[in-house]
Structure formats: C-alpha cells, structure tokens
Amino acid sequence: IDTVENEMAEQKEELKSLEERVSHCVRTSEGLERQNSSVSFVVRNLAEGNNENLERKINAIIKDGLKLNLCIDSAKRLKPPRGNSDGIVIAQCKSVEDKKKIMLAKSKLKQSRTHSNIFFEHHKSKNELSLESSLSAIQKVLGKDKVQLRGSRLVLPNQHAGRRVDR
C-alpha cells in the first residue's frame, strides 16, 4: 500500500509539472501570435502566378499603388479551403510603424487602375476570427434587424457606435 501511495504521489507531481509546462507553452504561443499579428497584414485577391515571388509582388504594390518606400520582410500564400480562388497572402512588415503606414495608405489602392481589386487588411488571430464567427452566428439567429455587428461587438440598430443612447 505504501509503494502504491508513493507511486501515486510521484505521478501527481509529474502531472503537475507537465501541466505547468503545457500552460507555459500555450502562453508563449499566444504571445508570439499576438506579436506576429502586430506586424502582419492580409492581402486579398492577389492573383497567383507560376514561380511567383510574393515579396516582390507585394513590394511593387506598396511602391506603385500606395506610393510608399517600404519593403516587407516575408510573405506566404495560404490556400483556400475550396480551391477555386487565389487564397490570401500573409505578409510581415519590418516594424509596427511600417504596417501602420501601409494601413493608413491602403485606401489609395481603390484609385489605382491595376490594383483596385487588391485589398490589404489587418491580420487577425485565430481567437479573433472565432469570436467574429460566433458573433455573426448570433446575429443571424437574432436577426439583422434586431442587432448589428460592429467590429467585435453586437449593438442595437438604433445605437451609434461608441455613444450611449439616453432613454
């Protein structure tokens, strides 16, 4: 009986140690995801080509379409689940300031003849995408006439964003 109790105590200690390690890994990965999304952005509707150099393509769009003298660090294309579109491209800037400049200038792409159908958006974490999906499902159940989705919030249609309505 004593040996069984000793083994159980050892197993409990080992389990506690493993739980702490897993918790640390989860916190670390969430921190890296947040850090990456602060310098990352999404490019939509960027046509896929054979032997394409994504970094060169996006840098050309930034230079010609946005009129900025910036370069990105890296880019990778994510394939769509259905396979009938070009998918999205995740690009990483060198700094948060570079990303901010790009996001402020992204509206210039609308006026560009060659880049008017390309869109730059903020990169969202999996948690943010999951939250938006859940809120959208709630909105569909309640009805779009009863609640509206604004960013990551559900609001009543007669309320203005960020303002309180006195009743």
Side-chain angles (χ1 to χ4, degrees):
I1 294 177
D2 288 336
T3 58
V4 171
E5 288 176 348
N6 288 340
E7 284 183 29
M8 284 182 54
E10 288 175 10
Q11 292 294 326
K12 284 181 183 179
E13 287 179 29
E14 187 176 331
L15 181 62
K16 187 175 179 179
S17 172
L18 286 173
E19 286 175 345
E20 289 173 359
R21 288 174 49 197
V22 167
S23 175
H24 174 72
C25 289
V26 168
R27 283 193 310 269
T28 303
S29 69
E30 287 174 351
L32 288 173
E33 188 173 298
R34 252 185 265 114
Q35 181 182 0
N36 284 344
S37 67
S38 67
V39 293
S40 299
F41 62 96
V42 174
V43 182
R44 294 191 183 277
N45 294 342
L46 184 62
E48 185 173 6
N50 295 335
N51 300 325
E52 68 182 349
N53 185 335
L54 285 173
E55 288 88 359
R56 190 179 311 142
K57 265 186 178 180
I58 295 172
N59 285 333
I61 293 170
I62 291 170
K63 185 175 182 183
D64 300 336
L66 301 182
K67 310 292 188 229
L68 294 174
N69 194 18
L70 301 174
C71 292
I72 61 167
D73 261 354
S74 63
K76 74 175 179 181
R77 185 177 293 276
L78 301 179
K79 297 291 180 187
R82 289 178 219 94
N84 57 353
S85 69
D86 290 321
I88 63 171
V89 176
I90 307 293
Q92 282 201 322
C93 296
K94 294 181 180 177
S95 68
V96 177
E97 292 80 24
D98 286 355
K99 180 187 172 186
K100 187 175 182 179
K101 289 176 186 176
I102 290 170
M103 290 295 120
L104 289 173
K106 69 181 183 177
S107 63
K108 292 180 184 176
L109 289 176
K110 291 178 189 175
Q111 288 89 30
S112 172
R113 190 181 309 174
T114 55
H115 307 301
S116 62
N117 63 335
I118 296 173
F119 301 97
F120 287 7
E121 301 171 358
H122 290 282
H123 182 241
K124 297 176 184 172
S125 69
K126 289 180 182 179
N127 290 341
E128 290 171 315
L129 292 172
S130 175
L131 174 66
E132 283 185 6
S133 175
S134 299
L135 290 175
S136 178
I138 292 170
Q139 181 190 25
K140 285 178 185 174
V141 168
L142 294 175
K144 291 187 177 188
D145 58 327
K146 299 213 183 334
V147 292
Q148 293 177 347
L149 185 60
R150 293 204 181 137
S152 60
R153 297 183 302 131
L154 286 175
V155 296
L156 297 174
N158 61 351
Q159 290 180 331
H160 299 288
R163 296 188 201 148
R164 287 180 49 187
V165 176
D166 295 328
R167 295 184 189 240

mmCIF file of all heavy atoms in Angstrom, residues 64-90:
data_model
loop_
_atom_site.group_PDB
_atom_site.id
_atom_site.type_symbol
_atom_site.label_atom_id
_atom_site.label_comp_id
_atom_site.label_asym_id
_atom_site.label_seq_id
_atom_site.Cartn_x
_atom_site.Cartn_y
_atom_site.Cartn_z
ATOM 1 N N ASP A 64 4.103 51.129 -56.021
ATOM 2 C CA ASP A 64 3.335 51.726 -57.120
ATOM 3 C C ASP A 64 1.926 52.133 -56.702
ATOM 4 O O ASP A 64 1.463 53.214 -57.060
ATOM 5 C CB ASP A 64 3.243 50.747 -58.289
ATOM 6 C CG ASP A 64 4.607 50.364 -58.843
ATOM 7 O OD1 ASP A 64 5.561 51.149 -58.654
ATOM 8 O OD2 ASP A 64 4.718 49.269 -59.433
ATOM 9 N N GLY A 65 1.238 51.263 -55.974
ATOM 10 C CA GLY A 65 -0.150 51.534 -55.615
ATOM 11 C C GLY A 65 -0.308 52.451 -54.422
ATOM 12 O O GLY A 65 -1.156 53.339 -54.412
ATOM 13 N N LEU A 66 0.522 52.252 -53.381
ATOM 14 C CA LEU A 66 0.400 53.051 -52.155
ATOM 15 C C LEU A 66 1.334 54.253 -52.136
ATOM 16 O O LEU A 66 1.227 55.109 -51.266
ATOM 17 C CB LEU A 66 0.671 52.180 -50.921
ATOM 18 C CG LEU A 66 -0.229 50.970 -50.708
ATOM 19 C CD1 LEU A 66 0.157 50.254 -49.428
ATOM 20 C CD2 LEU A 66 -1.685 51.360 -50.685
ATOM 21 N N LYS A 67 2.304 54.271 -53.049
ATOM 22 C CA LYS A 67 3.295 55.358 -53.129
ATOM 23 C C LYS A 67 4.104 55.466 -51.835
ATOM 24 O O LYS A 67 4.386 56.556 -51.344
ATOM 25 C CB LYS A 67 2.629 56.711 -53.433
ATOM 26 C CG LYS A 67 1.682 56.714 -54.605
ATOM 27 C CD LYS A 67 2.399 56.511 -55.896
ATOM 28 C CE LYS A 67 1.434 56.713 -57.069
ATOM 29 N NZ LYS A 67 1.482 55.672 -58.044
ATOM 30 N N LEU A 68 4.477 54.298 -51.293
ATOM 31 C CA LEU A 68 5.305 54.260 -50.089
ATOM 32 C C LEU A 68 6.639 53.610 -50.428
ATOM 33 O O LEU A 68 6.696 52.687 -51.236
ATOM 34 C CB LEU A 68 4.622 53.458 -48.977
ATOM 35 C CG LEU A 68 3.340 54.028 -48.385
ATOM 36 C CD1 LEU A 68 2.724 53.029 -47.406
ATOM 37 C CD2 LEU A 68 3.607 55.336 -47.682
ATOM 38 N N ASN A 69 7.685 54.063 -49.786
ATOM 39 C CA ASN A 69 9.006 53.497 -49.998
ATOM 40 C C ASN A 69 9.321 52.535 -48.852
ATOM 41 O O ASN A 69 10.194 52.796 -48.039
ATOM 42 C CB ASN A 69 10.052 54.607 -50.103
ATOM 43 C CG ASN A 69 11.361 54.082 -50.644
ATOM 44 O OD1 ASN A 69 11.411 53.009 -51.244
ATOM 45 N ND2 ASN A 69 12.422 54.827 -50.415
ATOM 46 N N LEU A 70 8.561 51.430 -48.792
ATOM 47 C CA LEU A 70 8.718 50.423 -47.739
ATOM 48 C C LEU A 70 8.860 49.048 -48.378
ATOM 49 O O LEU A 70 8.414 48.824 -49.499
ATOM 50 C CB LEU A 70 7.486 50.396 -46.825
ATOM 51 C CG LEU A 70 7.114 51.667 -46.092
ATOM 52 C CD1 LEU A 70 5.792 51.465 -45.372
ATOM 53 C CD2 LEU A 70 8.182 52.041 -45.110
ATOM 54 N N CYS A 71 9.468 48.142 -47.642
ATOM 55 C CA CYS A 71 9.580 46.750 -48.085
ATOM 56 C C CYS A 71 9.090 45.840 -46.965
ATOM 57 O O CYS A 71 9.245 46.154 -45.792
ATOM 58 C CB CYS A 71 11.025 46.399 -48.419
ATOM 59 S SG CYS A 71 11.651 47.240 -49.866
ATOM 60 N N ILE A 72 8.530 44.705 -47.355
ATOM 61 C CA ILE A 72 8.086 43.729 -46.367
ATOM 62 C C ILE A 72 9.199 42.724 -46.108
ATOM 63 O O ILE A 72 10.123 42.581 -46.910
ATOM 64 C CB ILE A 72 6.807 43.006 -46.819
ATOM 65 C CG1 ILE A 72 7.050 42.238 -48.121
ATOM 66 C CG2 ILE A 72 5.648 43.975 -46.936
ATOM 67 C CD1 ILE A 72 5.969 41.265 -48.463
ATOM 68 N N ASP A 73 9.105 42.048 -44.981
ATOM 69 C CA ASP A 73 10.087 41.028 -44.618
ATOM 70 C C ASP A 73 9.820 39.702 -45.310
ATOM 71 O O ASP A 73 10.722 39.086 -45.863
ATOM 72 C CB ASP A 73 10.080 40.807 -43.104
ATOM 73 C CG ASP A 73 11.190 41.531 -42.400
ATOM 74 O OD1 ASP A 73 12.033 42.121 -43.081
ATOM 75 O OD2 ASP A 73 11.214 41.500 -41.161
ATOM 76 N N SER A 74 8.573 39.261 -45.243
ATOM 77 C CA SER A 74 8.248 37.953 -45.800
ATOM 78 C C SER A 74 6.777 37.907 -46.184
ATOM 79 O O SER A 74 5.987 38.755 -45.768
ATOM 80 C CB SER A 74 8.540 36.854 -44.783
ATOM 81 O OG SER A 74 7.716 37.005 -43.654
ATOM 82 N N ALA A 75 6.440 36.912 -46.983
ATOM 83 C CA ALA A 75 5.048 36.704 -47.388
ATOM 84 C C ALA A 75 4.849 35.231 -47.689
ATOM 85 O O ALA A 75 5.757 34.561 -48.196
ATOM 86 C CB ALA A 75 4.719 37.544 -48.608
ATOM 87 N N LYS A 76 3.662 34.740 -47.344
ATOM 88 C CA LYS A 76 3.332 33.361 -47.704
ATOM 89 C C LYS A 76 1.861 33.285 -48.074
ATOM 90 O O LYS A 76 1.021 33.971 -47.505
ATOM 91 C CB LYS A 76 3.678 32.384 -46.588
ATOM 92 C CG LYS A 76 2.777 32.403 -45.399
ATOM 93 C CD LYS A 76 3.156 31.312 -44.416
ATOM 94 C CE LYS A 76 2.223 31.397 -43.232
ATOM 95 N NZ LYS A 76 2.502 30.412 -42.226
ATOM 96 N N ARG A 77 1.603 32.456 -49.072
ATOM 97 C CA ARG A 77 0.238 32.293 -49.561
ATOM 98 C C ARG A 77 -0.434 31.137 -48.831
ATOM 99 O O ARG A 77 0.149 30.070 -48.682
ATOM 100 C CB ARG A 77 0.248 32.019 -51.063
ATOM 101 C CG ARG A 77 -1.138 31.960 -51.674
ATOM 102 C CD ARG A 77 -1.088 31.772 -53.172
ATOM 103 N NE ARG A 77 -0.535 32.897 -53.882
ATOM 104 C CZ ARG A 77 -1.214 33.979 -54.236
ATOM 105 N NH1 ARG A 77 -2.487 34.078 -53.921
ATOM 106 N NH2 ARG A 77 -0.634 34.948 -54.902
ATOM 107 N N LEU A 78 -1.659 31.381 -48.378
ATOM 108 C CA LEU A 78 -2.470 30.338 -47.752
ATOM 109 C C LEU A 78 -3.516 29.896 -48.767
ATOM 110 O O LEU A 78 -4.237 30.718 -49.324
ATOM 111 C CB LEU A 78 -3.153 30.852 -46.493
ATOM 112 C CG LEU A 78 -2.235 31.367 -45.386
ATOM 113 C CD1 LEU A 78 -3.066 31.869 -44.217
ATOM 114 C CD2 LEU A 78 -1.284 30.290 -44.923
ATOM 115 N N LYS A 79 -3.573 28.618 -48.995
ATOM 116 C CA LYS A 79 -4.525 28.091 -49.973
ATOM 117 C C LYS A 79 -5.932 28.118 -49.393
ATOM 118 O O LYS A 79 -6.134 27.831 -48.221
ATOM 119 C CB LYS A 79 -4.162 26.653 -50.357
ATOM 120 C CG LYS A 79 -2.823 26.539 -51.044
ATOM 121 C CD LYS A 79 -2.876 27.166 -52.402
ATOM 122 C CE LYS A 79 -1.523 27.040 -53.099
ATOM 123 N NZ LYS A 79 -1.471 27.764 -54.333
ATOM 124 N N PRO A 80 -6.918 28.431 -50.223
ATOM 125 C CA PRO A 80 -8.299 28.442 -49.740
ATOM 126 C C PRO A 80 -8.808 27.027 -49.530
ATOM 127 O O PRO A 80 -8.332 26.088 -50.172
ATOM 128 C CB PRO A 80 -9.064 29.133 -50.868
ATOM 129 C CG PRO A 80 -8.261 28.835 -52.087
ATOM 130 C CD PRO A 80 -6.830 28.788 -51.631
ATOM 131 N N PRO A 81 -9.785 26.854 -48.636
ATOM 132 C CA PRO A 81 -10.306 25.509 -48.381
ATOM 133 C C PRO A 81 -11.011 24.911 -49.599
ATOM 134 O O PRO A 81 -11.003 23.708 -49.795
ATOM 135 C CB PRO A 81 -11.274 25.689 -47.217
ATOM 136 C CG PRO A 81 -11.478 27.136 -47.048
ATOM 137 C CD PRO A 81 -10.392 27.857 -47.777
ATOM 138 N N ARG A 82 -11.614 25.739 -50.439
ATOM 139 C CA ARG A 82 -12.362 25.233 -51.587
ATOM 140 C C ARG A 82 -11.518 25.148 -52.852
ATOM 141 O O ARG A 82 -11.899 24.515 -53.797
ATOM 142 C CB ARG A 82 -13.602 26.087 -51.831
ATOM 143 C CG ARG A 82 -14.641 25.871 -50.750
ATOM 144 C CD ARG A 82 -15.847 26.754 -50.982
ATOM 145 N NE ARG A 82 -16.304 27.244 -49.698
ATOM 146 C CZ ARG A 82 -15.956 28.394 -49.154
ATOM 147 N NH1 ARG A 82 -15.156 29.194 -49.787
ATOM 148 N NH2 ARG A 82 -16.413 28.748 -47.981
ATOM 149 N N GLY A 83 -10.434 25.851 -52.930
ATOM 150 C CA GLY A 83 -9.519 25.727 -54.056
ATOM 151 C C GLY A 83 -9.929 26.439 -55.329
ATOM 152 O O GLY A 83 -9.266 26.307 -56.338
ATOM 153 N N ASN A 84 -11.025 27.210 -55.338
ATOM 154 C CA ASN A 84 -11.453 27.876 -56.563
ATOM 155 C C ASN A 84 -11.070 29.356 -56.607
ATOM 156 O O ASN A 84 -11.492 30.079 -57.484
ATOM 157 C CB ASN A 84 -12.970 27.718 -56.763
ATOM 158 C CG ASN A 84 -13.760 28.254 -55.584
ATOM 159 O OD1 ASN A 84 -13.198 28.626 -54.560
ATOM 160 N ND2 ASN A 84 -15.072 28.268 -55.717
ATOM 161 N N SER A 85 -10.267 29.820 -55.641
ATOM 162 C CA SER A 85 -9.807 31.205 -55.668
ATOM 163 C C SER A 85 -8.307 31.224 -55.396
ATOM 164 O O SER A 85 -7.680 30.191 -55.208
ATOM 165 C CB SER A 85 -10.549 32.041 -54.617
ATOM 166 O OG SER A 85 -10.168 31.641 -53.322
ATOM 167 N N ASP A 86 -7.738 32.414 -55.402
ATOM 168 C CA ASP A 86 -6.293 32.549 -55.208
ATOM 169 C C ASP A 86 -5.885 32.446 -53.744
ATOM 170 O O ASP A 86 -4.709 32.370 -53.447
ATOM 171 C CB ASP A 86 -5.814 33.897 -55.760
ATOM 172 C CG ASP A 86 -5.899 33.920 -57.273
ATOM 173 O OD1 ASP A 86 -5.591 32.883 -57.899
ATOM 174 O OD2 ASP A 86 -6.282 34.963 -57.833
ATOM 175 N N GLY A 87 -6.833 32.497 -52.829
ATOM 176 C CA GLY A 87 -6.493 32.436 -51.413
ATOM 177 C C GLY A 87 -6.031 33.791 -50.909
ATOM 178 O O GLY A 87 -6.207 34.817 -51.573
ATOM 179 N N ILE A 88 -5.418 33.783 -49.747
ATOM 180 C CA ILE A 88 -4.932 35.027 -49.164
ATOM 181 C C ILE A 88 -3.429 34.924 -48.969
ATOM 182 O O ILE A 88 -2.861 33.843 -48.950
ATOM 183 C CB ILE A 88 -5.626 35.357 -47.824
ATOM 184 C CG1 ILE A 88 -5.313 34.281 -46.779
ATOM 185 C CG2 ILE A 88 -7.111 35.535 -48.010
ATOM 186 C CD1 ILE A 88 -5.786 34.638 -45.385
ATOM 187 N N VAL A 89 -2.806 36.084 -48.829
ATOM 188 C CA VAL A 89 -1.374 36.149 -48.576
ATOM 189 C C VAL A 89 -1.175 36.842 -47.236
ATOM 190 O O VAL A 89 -1.784 37.888 -46.978
ATOM 191 C CB VAL A 89 -0.645 36.925 -49.697
ATOM 192 C CG1 VAL A 89 0.828 37.080 -49.374
ATOM 193 C CG2 VAL A 89 -0.829 36.228 -51.028
ATOM 194 N N ILE A 90 -0.355 36.248 -46.379
ATOM 195 C CA ILE A 90 0.012 36.869 -45.104
ATOM 196 C C ILE A 90 1.392 37.467 -45.301
ATOM 197 O O ILE A 90 2.349 36.768 -45.608
ATOM 198 C CB ILE A 90 0.053 35.840 -43.950
ATOM 199 C CG1 ILE A 90 -1.250 35.050 -43.853
ATOM 200 C CG2 ILE A 90 0.395 36.531 -42.637
ATOM 201 C CD1 ILE A 90 -2.446 35.842 -43.435
#
